[in-house]
Amino acid sequence: MDQCYAKTMEEKKPYIAMIIVQIIFAGMAVVSKAAFNGGMNTFVFTFYRQAIATLVLLPLAIIFERRSSPPLPFKLMFKIFMVALFGYTINLNMHNIAIKLTSATVTSATSNLIPIFTFVLALLFRVEIITFKTCSGIVKAIGVVICLTGAMVIAFYKGPHLNSFIHHHPILHGSSQNDSNITHKKWIIGTFLMVLAAFCWSSWLVLLGIILKEYPSWIWSTVLLNLFSTIQCFIVAITTERNLNKWKLHWDEELLGVVYGGVLVSALVLYLQTWCIHKRGPVFVAMFSPLALLIAAAASSFLLGEVINLGSVLGGAFMVVGLYCVLWGKSRERKNMNSSVEDAKDSISIESRGCIVK
């Protein structure tokens, strides 16, 4: 009984970890939006959160993994450097600019494209296939189209505002006024930057899965990704923002956003995601993205007084439906594959018994 319970809990750990990840992601969209509304430079913000994550994780890696970590050849280190550049430095900077130009709800809605992009990349690398002769293949293709339609709805259709039932917003910092000044052109640019960031994140999930096969220490992988990203983000930030006053942190939502992003997102979330990729693979990690949409929409309305548009809700709903069409198709294919394997085993067993009787 105890062994069965322990096995059940062990199987549930990745699910619990990914639920925690999505809650933290939703909170990150809210606090970073508040920091940007307060006037913080997005590039400086990204550098600080990566630097804090490195300072948190590096001592832990040295204490717990200094003797058991495998050797790191230069070629593999260069691969990790490039994964950090593509999956963190470029991705996070585009992501933060997009948050500033749109809203926390849009940020979480477009994150639903991550599983779809992961699936498309798997198709390109021939890891996944779509067979239009089967029901599951058709549903997967329809799901991809529905998700992309959702992204288009968010970008080009704002629609009427949805009224919030709550009128007191604890960390409101000019959010409603800021959102009203966002032009339609900026909204479109921000949405497509968020789509590109989702593609970068999907690529990062796939590439990190490859890296972990070569370098299975996910603690040191996490540290190195943050360390390289910190250096890269500093170069970007110092190049784009020379005013030292913009680098000063104050005891307000700016410091909250940096510490939250550095400790919880870039450190804890990256560690949990890396562990889950190691245990279950990149597609498992990507499939939890829709959860952040519901949390972020509620939190941004309550905490920031952010105006939620009908277009964002409809687009997010399209993405969730499309995502789970793809996941249903994959699940159906897996069941068919398992039943085929069982049938093959049964036929082999029957044939072998026939041979014994003869």
Side-chain angles (χ1 to χ4, degrees):
M1 182 66 73
D2 291 338
Q3 290 181 348
C4 291
Y5 177 77
K7 185 178 180 181
T8 303
M9 289 304 298
E10 191 67 26
E11 290 177 351
K12 288 182 178 179
K13 281 183 180 179
Y15 292 91
I16 296 170
M18 287 312 304
I19 290 171
I20 293 171
V21 164
Q22 294 308 317
I23 293 172
I24 295 173
F25 268 147
M28 184 71 242
V30 175
V31 297
S32 57
K33 178 65 175 177
F36 301 148
N37 286 346
M40 188 168 192
N41 182 283
T42 58
F43 300 111
V44 174
F45 178 90
T46 306
F47 161 69
Y48 275 136
R49 68 171 266 188
Q50 293 305 101
I52 289 174
T54 303
L55 292 174
V56 170
L57 287 171
L58 185 58
L60 296 177
I62 293 173
I63 293 170
F64 296 108
E65 291 280 331
R66 66 182 184 276
R67 293 180 180 176
S68 59
S69 60
L72 184 67
F74 177 79
K75 185 178 179 180
L76 183 57
M77 187 181 293
F78 179 75
K79 288 181 182 179
I80 295 175
F81 180 88
M82 295 306 297
V83 169
L85 176 65
F86 192 66
Y88 259 73
T89 304
I90 296 174
N91 172 28
L92 289 177
N93 281 300
M94 282 197 300
H95 183 270
N96 288 335
I97 294 171
I99 291 178
K100 191 172 184 178
L101 295 177
T102 56
S103 68
T105 305
V106 170
T107 301
S108 298
T110 49
S111 69
N112 292 318
L113 288 171
I114 293 172
I116 300 301
F117 284 142
T118 306
F119 175 72
V120 171
L121 287 170
L123 282 177
L124 294 176
F125 286 105
R126 298 180 182 271
V127 176
E128 290 279 350
I129 58 170
I130 291 182
T131 305
F132 291 101
K133 295 179 181 179
T134 63
C135 177
S136 57
I138 294 171
V139 171
K140 284 200 297 184
I142 292 173
V144 173
V145 173
I146 292 175
C147 267
L148 295 177
T149 302
M152 296 299 106
V153 170
I154 290 175
F156 296 109
Y157 175 68
K158 273 193 168 184
H161 300 322
L162 303 181
N163 294 325
S164 174
F165 294 104
I166 300 166
H167 301 288
H168 173 68
H169 311 290
I171 58 173
L172 176 65
H173 191 113
S175 182
S176 299
Q177 295 85 344
N178 193 294
D179 288 344
S180 64
N181 293 329
I182 297 174
T183 64
H184 187 59
K185 183 179 179 181
K186 287 182 178 179
W187 187 273
I188 293 174
I189 293 171
T191 301
F192 279 102
L193 280 176
M194 196 64 72
V195 171
L196 287 175
F199 178 78
C200 287
W201 194 254
S202 301
S203 304
W204 177 83
L205 289 174
V206 175
L207 292 172
L208 185 60
I210 297 172
I211 291 291
L212 288 174
K213 290 180 180 179
E214 296 184 51
Y215 193 73
S217 174
W218 57 81
I219 294 181
W220 273 108
S221 297
T222 306
V223 171
L224 290 171
L225 284 168
N226 273 302
L227 178 61
F228 289 144
S229 178
T230 300
I231 297 169
Q232 295 160 357
C233 288
F234 176 75
I235 295 171
V236 173
I238 200 67
T239 303
T240 56
E241 184 55 76
R242 301 293 180 88
N243 185 358
L244 294 181
N245 290 326
K246 293 288 185 179
W247 288 72
K248 293 179 181 178
L249 291 175
H250 305 95
W251 291 92
D252 53 16
E253 63 274 1
E254 294 183 5
L255 183 62
L256 172 65
V258 167
V259 174
Y260 186 102
V263 176
L264 293 182
V265 180
S266 293
L268 178 60
V269 163
L270 180 57
Y271 174 79
L272 290 175
Q273 282 190 316
T274 306
W275 179 78
C276 287
I277 290 172
H278 181 75
K279 291 290 185 181
R280 294 295 183 91
V283 176
F284 175 85
V285 172
M287 68 180 282
F288 284 85
S289 299
L291 184 61
L293 171 61
L294 302 176
I295 302 169
S300 60
S301 178
F302 173 70
L303 297 174
L304 298 177
E306 187 175 273
V307 175
I308 299 177
N309 301 307
L310 179 61
S312 298
V313 175
L314 289 177
F318 268 101
M319 289 181 178
V320 172
V321 171
L323 169 64
Y324 283 104
C325 283
V326 174
L327 293 177
W328 181 87
K330 285 178 62 62
S331 176
R332 187 71 177 268
E333 284 181 349
R334 192 178 297 112
K335 287 181 180 177
N336 292 338
M337 189 179 298
N338 290 337
S339 62
S340 298
V341 171
E342 291 296 325
D343 291 343
K345 286 181 179 178
D346 291 340
S347 64
I348 292 172
S349 177
I350 292 170
E351 287 178 5
S352 62
R353 271 187 243 150
C355 291
I356 292 171
V357 170
K358 286 180 182 178

